Amino acid sequence: MAGMTLEQLKIFLAVAQNLHFTRAAEELYITQPAVSAAIHNLEQEYGVKLFHRIGRHIEIAEAGKLLQVEAQKILDQVSLTERGLRELNNLQRGELKLGSSLTIGNYWLPSKISEFKSQYPGIQIDCTLANAETICVGTAMGQFDLGLVEGDVKPALQNTLDYEIVASDRLQIVVGQKHPWFEWGEVDLSQLTQTPWVMRVRESGTQQRFEEALQNWGINLSELNVILVFTSGEMAKAAIENGVGATGISELMVKKEIQLGTLRAIRVIDNRGNGAIPSAVTERLALTCAERLALSAVEGSRSAGYTYAEIVRPFFKIKHRQRFQTALSKVFEQMLISSVLDGSHQHLSVI
């Protein structure tokens, strides 16, 4: 028995993904007969059908579905092993694969990557930006060495992923110059239902945190007049600057616009009675910092006798619990953790 080869597995996966021999050949830069021969040899070697030929089309068979899952695992492990071996050079060369949610990737992570690159200039960093849910799933599937998200890790993935706070951010309610709140500068909780809103999609970490804050304030999302929903914070920001309603957005994203005066952050007066924290939040106060920050933290920030409701959200570093972790990944992870230990994010413990 000759056994299967890595090259055969690569060819098989290309066919399984394209369900087409010619397209698989083009993708791999080999001839179509070479693809057909590789599949035929696998089927002959193990006495199974990997694909059903139906006219000019093919469908993956049950044996093919099994091989597709296992072949991907094998090739992923080979890739990790190769990367690990290349890193046995005092980190002079290698590749680090990061996944980041949009706000973190656009506004917080670049300085961390620059710091890392200054110490390890020969390292290639591949960073993918997507919504928080996509990054969590991708990290669980092994697409990224580390993920960075500001949204929650879904319960279904919590047994697969380790997650730890490495920074935090505040969400601010902002409006443009044409909005009546722009002149006011502050509103009370009851007024939040009296204006149009621009929101992010539900998969967004920003949206998840904002909805949790509303719930903690006793406001149901259905009570708000949501007129637009966007996939990116930049789109929401542009809509607000053009005079469309209000939005909850990261302070990192609107710092420049607030300084220029095109947007204004609106403080929310907690007028529920001495700024009392809802019971749902009070019950969480005995939990860890990470768990408390997983809610939209309601802080007491008193001025002129008022309590202002604020939204603090954590930035989580996530990684697979069991997957092999490269040396590069460990070094980058330690750099992120050190920034917390150095006290650069001491406000994480505030509630």
Side-chain angles (χ1 to χ4, degrees):
M1 181 178 288
M4 66 181 65
T5 67
L6 293 178
E7 186 64 22
Q8 286 175 326
L9 293 182
K10 291 177 183 177
I11 292 172
F12 164 76
L13 283 178
V15 176
Q17 289 163 3
N18 289 281
L19 291 178
H20 199 283
F21 282 68
T22 302
R23 283 198 288 269
E26 293 171 349
E27 182 179 294
L28 297 173
Y29 299 100
I30 60 178
T31 65
Q32 190 271 334
V35 171
S36 297
I39 299 302
H40 175 75
N41 290 339
L42 280 173
E43 291 180 328
Q44 288 294 108
E45 181 74 24
Y46 298 99
V48 296
K49 280 291 185 183
L50 299 175
F51 298 97
H52 296 301
R53 281 73 170 175
I54 305 174
R56 300 182 63 181
H57 305 285
I58 61 172
E59 292 182 358
I60 191 165
E62 285 303 312
K65 292 177 181 178
L66 170 64
L67 183 58
Q68 185 177 23
V69 173
E70 298 304 323
Q72 190 64 61
K73 291 180 183 177
I74 291 169
L75 293 180
D76 285 347
Q77 189 60 49
V78 169
S79 177
L80 277 173
T81 303
E82 289 177 336
R83 289 170 58 195
L85 289 173
R86 292 191 187 102
E87 290 171 2
L88 297 177
N89 54 26
N90 295 320
L91 302 185
Q92 295 177 22
R93 295 186 305 277
E95 180 184 16
L96 178 64
K97 295 183 178 181
L98 302 176
S100 174
S101 52
L102 300 175
T103 301
I104 294 176
N106 283 316
Y107 296 95
W108 182 82
L109 187 57
S111 64
K112 307 301 179 185
I113 292 177
S114 296
E115 179 184 345
F116 186 79
K117 285 286 287 184
S118 68
Q119 298 179 49
Y120 306 100
I123 301 304
Q124 176 184 338
I125 298 180
D126 181 5
C127 185
T128 298
L129 302 188
N131 62 50
E133 184 172 334
T134 299
I135 298 302
C136 287
V137 172
T139 305
M141 295 178 63
Q143 296 175 15
F144 313 119
D145 298 317
L146 294 172
L148 292 153
V149 297
E150 68 266 17
D152 293 330
V153 176
K154 299 292 185 182
L157 295 176
Q158 289 180 4
N159 289 331
T160 303
L161 299 175
D162 274 327
Y163 51 101
E164 180 178 5
I165 293 176
V166 292
S168 71
D169 178 31
R170 294 177 191 271
L171 292 187
Q172 294 183 324
I173 293 175
V174 299
V175 298
Q177 294 176 337
K178 297 178 182 179
H179 196 286
W181 290 359
F182 191 89
E183 299 298 327
W184 302 355
E186 60 183 39
V187 296
D188 60 43
L189 285 174
S190 62
Q191 291 174 290
L192 296 183
T193 59
Q194 300 172 14
T195 191
W197 284 89
V198 175
M199 296 291 187
R200 295 281 301 281
V201 293
R202 296 295 295 271
E203 296 82 5
S204 158
T206 296
Q207 184 64 20
Q208 292 170 11
R209 197 65 61 227
F210 187 61
E211 290 183 20
E212 288 173 358
L214 290 173
Q215 183 179 4
N216 293 338
W217 296 338
I219 299 173
N220 193 302
L221 181 63
S222 62
E223 298 178 55
L224 301 187
N225 177 22
V226 179
I227 59 172
L228 290 170
V229 177
F230 290 123
T231 58
S232 78
E234 290 294 336
M235 296 173 71
K237 181 171 68 174
I240 295 304
E241 282 188 288
N242 285 293
V244 181
T247 194
I249 196 168
S250 164
E251 65 180 353
L252 295 173
M253 294 187 65
V254 293
K255 182 177 180 180
K256 178 180 178 181
E257 287 76 11
I258 289 175
Q259 290 175 340
L260 293 174
T262 59
L263 293 176
R264 184 170 185 180
I266 304 301
R267 295 198 294 182
V268 179
I269 301 171
D270 188 343
N271 59 345
R272 291 169 295 171
N274 298 321
I277 299 176
S279 59
V281 178
T282 305
E283 292 171 358
R284 295 293 296 273
L285 293 180
L287 301 178
T288 65
C289 175
E291 290 173 317
R292 285 183 280 140
L293 280 173
L295 290 172
S296 298
V298 180
E299 296 185 342
S301 176
R302 296 185 177 276
S303 176
Y306 294 123
T307 297
Y308 292 102
E310 298 185 352
I311 311 169
V312 178
R313 63 175 180 174
F315 289 170
F316 288 107
K317 167 191 63 66
I318 59 176
K319 65 180 180 180
H320 199 286
R321 289 183 183 271
Q322 298 177 332
R323 188 176 173 83
F324 170 76
Q325 189 176 13
T326 65
L328 277 176
S329 176
K330 292 178 181 178
V331 172
F332 190 80
E333 179 183 17
Q334 189 56 48
M335 183 192 75
L336 297 178
I337 295 172
S338 296
S339 68
V340 179
L341 298 178
D342 290 342
S344 60
H345 302 292
Q346 292 179 358
H347 62 279
L348 284 172
S349 62
V350 178
I351 273 198

